Structures are given as structure tokens and as C-alpha cells.
Amino acid sequence: MTVMKNNNYNNGTVNFGGNKSGGGKGYFYVTTPIYYVNDKPHVGHAYSTVIADSIARFKRLSGYNVFFLTGTDEHGLKVEKEANSRGITPKELADSVHIKFKELFAELNISYDRFIRTTDADHVKTVRIVFEKLLENGDIYLSEYEGWYCTNCETFLTEKSLTEGGGCPQCGRQASKVKEESYFLKLDKYEKKLLDYIENNPDFIKPEFRKNEVLSFINEGLKNLSISRTSFKWGIQVPGNEKHVIYVWFDALLNYLTGLGYEDFLDGQNQDFYRFFKSVNHIVGKDILKFHAVYWPIMLFALGLEPPKTIIAHGWWLMDGKKMSKSLGNVVDPVSLIKKFGPDALRFYLLSEITLGLDGDFNIDNFVARYNSALANDLGNLVSRTAAMLNKYTAGKIPGCGVLEDVAVLKTAYDILNGLSGRYDDYDFAKILEDIFRFINILNKYINDSAPWKLNIEDPEEKINLLKILKTVAMSIYCVSYMIYPFMPETSNKINNILNIKPFNLPGFSARPEDMKDNCEKLFKDEFCIIEKTEMLFPRIKLEE
Ligand code: MSP
């Protein structure tokens, strides 16, 4: 694929395992929604992105060729209005706010391959090509739209769906009446095809319970979708009829094609496009499922492409039970949390606290409590006490093949590792983290129960026992470091540094979770030294701070 053109491509520090053109075992394409630039990012945006990042990292470890796309949605009335209210142009607003997203993603160690902006030249070109293609084949036609519009959700609404006071059913804000000439996308033509696709592809919408919402929306009957506006300016102009700008959702959804190089694909120059696109996993919030599970597949049908493989709809983060919003002043700022607790504390909380698909409450007391108990006490302490014992009893040496490890303890680690791929296929992050932390507690208990500090190093039998405990725990921590890598990459790297072990993609090693048992046994065959100075992974933090 012809990528690596500008600083919107990430050629940073993370990629191990497969890469876009390497010889991995398969292709995997993961996307986040692209974020509106009317305001700076909040914790909900961090959530969609951290989910996608964790999957991307795990798939890379497992040897897949991964392409991970994120970015910003910069056109539309909502952005235009915000720019007007700040007295700047929409492009100036987009230029400044998209940087905030990039900064947040850098802070969070998001390993995206491309950060797309809908104002990027290749995207604008793709949208216009697609529009013309569908106009030519008759799936787009010109007519008139009369109805309701919610600017906040950038959605057309039926009169029936409005709240009593004429508000949007999704966000409650006042809807406005619109009557204007508009291009339409034929939806009714593809209704049956879409229903068949949903029925025959159980992996299409996840979690399963969201499928019914989509089905009932389709079963109400799909009305052709208005896909252009004439009453404002900030958008991609319709080729050949420039008083129209293309509807922001039509424009935005196409980012998933631009990001993969659709234009080159149409020119016959991009072999990878189809391989990646067939494997696409779109991570979206439940509020935008309809756009991805109804409009998007129909746009793809019209283009002669397959619908996405999987759309994963996550729930919402509430703040003390209420929806986060600027007007309520209860928006959680991810940047200040990262400053205080580090990126992995936020990643951990977001992924472990709610089961994917359900809503959760972002409660700061709970955040601090979980940080102190799971990260500082359980994980942080396990690593620091092990390093301290190794330094004290064996001058930092992890014993080699002369000392046998405790197979029963390690079996628990290998069992978790063997189950990981299946768990990821179910997007069951909270459960995976629960298993990992249960294992961490098994290790802490193993150390407490076997009390190495009571063993007499001068006694040959007790010394062997001591070495066995230390070796077992060191090997187990290495497995833990692997398991947490997709969720907490910085911590995983720190642990590897402390253990003085290279990352998981050593030459001649496979980094698939199923191969970690072999890797671990090979690595710990030879005696080696951990580093002397170890840093505290998660210093305890008092709530008042
Ligand atoms: N621009 C569209 C998406 C276009 S994708 C082709 C959009 N942008 S958004 O900025 O409003 O929202 C982006 C994502 O953030 C959505 O998936 C949305 O669900 C998510 N979240 C916004 N607030 C959220 C919470 N409070 N909690 C969890 N996620 C939420 O929609």
C-alpha cells in the first residue's frame, strides 16, 4: 500500500508482529469513528480509540497484518456553527482541534497507522469520485427534501420521531425544519439485501442484542436518504452542482475507504485494499450504530463492495449517572487524568470497568480506588517485590535451567494465554483483564504462602526452593507482561525493562499467545540478570490529591 506520506501516518514506536506488507497470517483492519472537531476530546472519545488500539495491538502480536485508522470528521453544519461562534473559519477550527485529538492519542500511546482528516485532499477526491459513481449508476438522484434536521447529531429526523417539544430523540436538542433541493441515496432498493446480509452474518453486529434495534429500524421501512444540503457551505461540494455540499455522514463514512487507499484500488494499484477491507472491524458508540449498520452497508452495496465484517457498538460513559455534556459541566477530561495517573491507568479503567456494549459510570472515587488496589497494590507491588527479592537473594539473577519452575503456577498463565484469541474474538476485554488480575493475585498469594524471606539460603534444599519460587514468579510476570501489553503497553514495556527481557517478537520467536509457553521456556533456560534499579510502576495516590 502506498502510505507514509505525511505526519498523519504513524511510523512510531510500537509495531511488532505483523505489519501492513509483512508476511503475517492474515489481514486485519480496525477503525474508530472519526471525531467531530467542534470541541476538544473527552473521555468518551478516548474510549472508542483505546478499544481499537487494544485490538490492533493484540492482532499485531498474533501475527496479523494490521491497519488501524482513526481521525477527525471536520465538515458539516455543527462544525461551521461552532467556528462562526468563535469568529474563525471552520478550517481554522478543524486545524486547531484535530491537533488536540492527535495529542491525546499520543499521550495514550495509540498505535494508529493513519490519522485521517476529512479535509485531506485524498479524502475529498474519494468522496467526489464515489458521489459521481453512484450518480451515474442511478443510486443517487436529485429531488427535494422537506423535513426535520438535528444539527447536533447531524441527522435527518421524521416528524413522528420528535419529542413532544420538537426535540431530537437522540440528544434532546431542538430540531429545525428544512425544505431544500437535495440529492438522495436510494436505500429502499437495498433493504432486502441488507436484511439478508444481517441474517446470514451473525458477526456483523456486536453485541448481539444491538442487532434487534437495527432490524426494527429497517423493518419500519427505509426511506431514501437525503445526502446533500444547500443551506450552508462547509462541506465537500457535489461535483458539477456546487451549490450543494455533501451530507456530512455520507462524507464521513467514506473515510474508511480513503484510509485504505480506495483511489489507488480503483486505479488497479492497491492489491491490499480488498484484503484489508474484507476484514474490517468498525468500533463505534451505540449512538452511531444506525449509520454504520444501515447507511454504510448500503453505500457499499451501491459501490459493488461487501458490507463490513463486524461493527462493534460500545456503550456510553456517564458521569455520576448522567450523560456527559458541556452544558452540565460534567465532562471528564482525559488529559488531566493521564497527567496524574499515567496513560495505562486510564486505559485500564476504561477497558476493565464496563463490559463492552453496556454503559458505565465514570466515578472518580472508583477510578482512584481501582488504581490503588489493582494497579498499585496488586500489579505494581508484585513486580517491585519480585525485583527486590531477586536483587536481595540472587544479586538480580533469574536462575536458568538448573532450577525447575513450579509448573502448577505457570499452567494458570498458559491456560489464560491459550484462551486469549477466542476472548478477543468476543471483545471480552473486561473478562480478559479480570482473568489477568486473578492470576496476579494468585502470584501474590503464592509469594505470601511460600514466604521466600523465611528460607535459609545457606541450606542447599531451602536454597533450591527459594530459587524455584523466584524463577516461577519471574516467568509468570513475563507472561503477565505479555497479557497486559494490548491494554497497558507502557507498563508492559517497563516490566520487560525491569526483567531485562526484550519485547515479545524476538528473532525466531512467534508472538502468538499460544506460543508464549514455548517462548517463556526458551527464554528462561539461560540464567540472566534483571536490571538493578527498578522504577515504581504505579505510585499510590491519595483521593484528596
Ligand atoms: N463524527 C461522528 C462519527 C463518524 S464515523 C464515520 C461522531 N463523532 S463524535 O465525536 O460525536 O463521536 C465519536 C464517538 O465518540 C462515537 O462513537 C460516540 O459514541 C463516542 N462517544 C461520545 N461520547 C461518549 C461517551 N460519553 N461515552 C462513550 N462514548 C461516547 O459521532
Side-chain angles (χ1 to χ4, degrees):
M1 197 157 35
T2 44
V3 286
M4 300 295 173
K5 287 180 213 154
N6 56 37
N7 71 349
N8 290 331
Y9 294 95
N10 189 343
N11 50 4
T13 50
V14 273
N15 297 311
F16 52 71
N19 56 44
K20 285 183 291 304
S21 48
K25 73 174 174 187
Y27 286 76
F28 190 82
Y29 179 29
V30 63
T31 70
T32 70
I34 47 172
Y35 303 100
Y36 288 128
V37 287
N38 62 312
D39 203 359
K40 64 179 193 214
H42 63 63
V43 88
H45 305 130
Y47 184 48
S48 299
T49 319
V50 162
I51 292 172
D53 187 60
S54 301
I55 301 178
R57 285 174 182 274
F58 180 74
K59 289 290 177 179
R60 286 193 200 104
L61 277 180
S62 302
Y64 283 83
N65 301 314
V66 173
F67 194 75
F68 172 14
L69 182 70
T70 189
T72 39
D73 191 353
E74 305 190 349
H75 293 125
L77 189 51
K78 179 172 164 138
V79 173
E80 187 179 281
K81 278 189 168 170
E82 179 62 27
N84 287 345
S85 78
R86 297 192 195 187
I88 53 175
T89 66
K91 184 63 170 49
E92 281 166 350
L93 178 65
D95 285 346
S96 75
V97 176
H98 98 279
I99 299 280
K100 301 255 177 269
F101 280 90
K102 277 191 174 164
E103 283 168 357
L104 170 66
F105 297 167
E107 295 277 340
L108 274 172
N109 293 312
I110 302 300
S111 61
Y112 59 80
D113 293 291
R114 178 176 175 182
F115 188 105
I116 191 169
R117 302 179 59 188
T118 51
T119 49
D120 285 343
D122 61 343
H123 180 68
V124 173
K125 197 162 167 206
T126 297
V127 173
R128 290 166 68 96
I129 291 174
V130 168
F131 198 96
E132 276 182 319
K133 230 166 132 58
L134 301 193
L135 198 60
E136 243 164 60
N137 74 10
D139 282 319
I140 291 180
Y141 60 93
L142 187 61
S143 181
E144 187 173 77
Y145 178 80
E146 183 169 8
W148 295 89
Y149 194 77
C150 170
T151 308
N152 182 57
C153 300
E154 297 278 21
T155 308
F156 296 97
L157 302 164
T158 59
E159 178 136 12
K160 211 175 84 195
S161 70
L162 300 182
T163 63
E164 242 173 58
C168 164
Q170 177 81 33
C171 70
R173 288 180 178 80
Q174 198 63 34
S176 47
K177 188 94 192 238
V178 220
K179 184 177 178 192
E180 55 192 62
E181 184 185 75
S182 172
Y183 286 90
F184 285 81
L185 172 69
K186 284 188 185 162
L187 299 187
D188 50 4
K189 175 174 164 189
Y190 294 104
E191 192 174 309
K192 169 85 177 59
K193 197 167 173 178
L194 180 61
L195 285 170
D196 289 346
Y197 186 82
I198 296 178
E199 186 158 324
N200 296 325
N201 292 277
D203 284 344
F204 177 50
I205 299 168
K206 295 209 165 178
E208 179 76 28
F209 68 88
R210 293 268 172 224
K211 195 163 104 177
N212 296 333
E213 284 172 23
V214 173
L215 287 176
S216 64
F217 176 75
I218 301 171
N219 286 328
E220 278 175 21
L222 292 181
K223 283 225 204 62
N224 292 342
L225 181 68
S226 166
I227 52 159
S228 74
R229 304 289 308 270
T230 53
S231 51
F232 68 96
K233 289 266 160 291
W234 180 233
I236 300 176
Q237 290 171 325
V238 167
N241 190 356
E242 270 138 33
K243 70 174 193 264
H244 286 256
V245 293
I246 295 174
Y247 176 39
V248 64
W249 269 101
F250 187 89
D251 161 353
L253 287 162
L254 288 170
N255 93 86
Y256 302 133
L257 296 189
T258 313
L260 274 188
Y262 182 61
E263 208 190 313
D264 293 345
F265 166 72
L266 289 177
D267 291 345
Q269 285 170 24
N270 183 350
Q271 300 298 322
D272 278 350
F273 172 87
Y274 208 61
R275 299 191 188 107
F276 276 116
F277 197 68
K278 275 203 307 209
S279 70
V280 69
N281 280 245
H282 294 304
I283 313 296
V284 302
K286 62 180 186 179
D287 52 315
I288 57 171
L289 177 60
K290 180 177 80 182
F291 298 92
H292 285 82
V294 180
Y295 304 152
W296 179 224
I298 289 181
M299 287 166 68
L300 292 167
F301 282 142
L303 282 171
L305 293 167
E306 283 283 294
K309 180 170 166 286
T310 303
I311 300 163
I312 300 121
H314 64 70
W316 270 55
W317 281 99
L318 307 172
M319 180 64 172
D320 299 323
K322 289 196 206 78
K323 199 170 157 177
M324 284 181 214
S325 80
K326 233 192 335 187
S327 50
L328 285 176
N330 63 352
V331 177
V332 180
D333 172 21
V335 176
S336 62
L337 285 173
I338 296 168
K339 279 213 177 85
K340 183 81 199 155
F341 297 88
D344 286 355
L346 179 58
R347 293 174 64 113
F348 169 75
Y349 186 75
L350 292 176
L351 294 173
S352 67
E353 190 62 19
I354 50 179
T355 301
L356 200 85
L358 305 180
D359 290 347
D361 202 37
F362 203 106
N363 175 293
I364 204 72
D365 293 0
N366 183 32
F367 180 94
V368 177
R370 301 248 6 242
Y371 170 92
N372 280 332
S373 80
L375 300 181
N377 274 6
D378 300 344
L379 175 58
N381 213 11
L382 171 70
V383 175
S384 62
R385 76 204 290 212
T386 304
M389 285 190 296
L390 281 163
N391 279 325
K392 179 164 177 196
Y393 299 121
T394 65
K397 278 192 205 122
I398 301 180
C401 62
V403 173
L404 291 179
E405 62 274 14
D406 198 324
V407 190
V409 174
L410 278 155
K411 181 169 181 310
T412 312
Y414 300 146
D415 285 348
I416 298 175
L417 288 163
N418 284 331
L420 274 185
S421 298
R423 281 274 166 81
Y424 271 92
D425 288 342
D426 291 337
Y427 308 95
D428 213 350
F429 307 121
K431 200 96 192 86
I432 300 172
L433 281 161
E434 199 182 303
D435 283 353
I436 299 172
F437 277 80
R438 194 174 305 120
F439 179 57
I440 288 170
N441 284 328
I442 290 175
L443 293 175
N444 276 321
K445 185 166 182 316
Y446 173 71
I447 297 174
N448 293 346
D449 293 350
S450 49
W453 48 89
K454 288 194 186 146
L455 297 171
N456 177 5
I457 202 146
E458 306 304 328
D459 176 291
E461 213 170 293
E462 291 196 18
K463 181 177 177 185
I464 276 290
N465 205 5
L466 175 76
L467 295 180
K468 174 180 172 173
I469 298 164
L470 294 179
K471 181 172 182 181
T472 304
V473 178
M475 286 174 83
S476 302
I477 290 177
Y478 179 60
C479 295
V480 166
S481 175
Y482 177 96
M483 294 173 201
I484 64 169
Y485 169 78
F487 307 113
M488 298 190 268
E490 189 180 277
T491 307
S492 169
N493 289 337
K494 282 183 185 168
I495 294 176
N496 291 349
N497 277 340
I498 293 171
L499 288 183
N500 208 0
I501 280 183
K502 306 269 174 321
F504 311 104
N505 64 332
L506 298 172
F509 284 54
S510 145
R512 292 183 337 140
E514 297 80 3
D515 298 324
M516 280 307 288
K517 176 174 189 291
D518 279 358
N519 291 354
C520 199
E521 282 166 4
K522 269 196 243 166
L523 270 177
F524 286 81
K525 209 160 54 36
D526 300 323
E527 178 182 276
F528 61 91
C529 273
I530 66 162
I531 61 155
E532 261 170 60
K533 244 185 114 34
T534 59
E535 71 173 301
M536 187 93 120
L537 293 179
F538 298 101
R540 278 186 74 83
I541 289 188
K542 290 204 190 82
L543 185 57
E544 309 81 72
E545 289 176 42

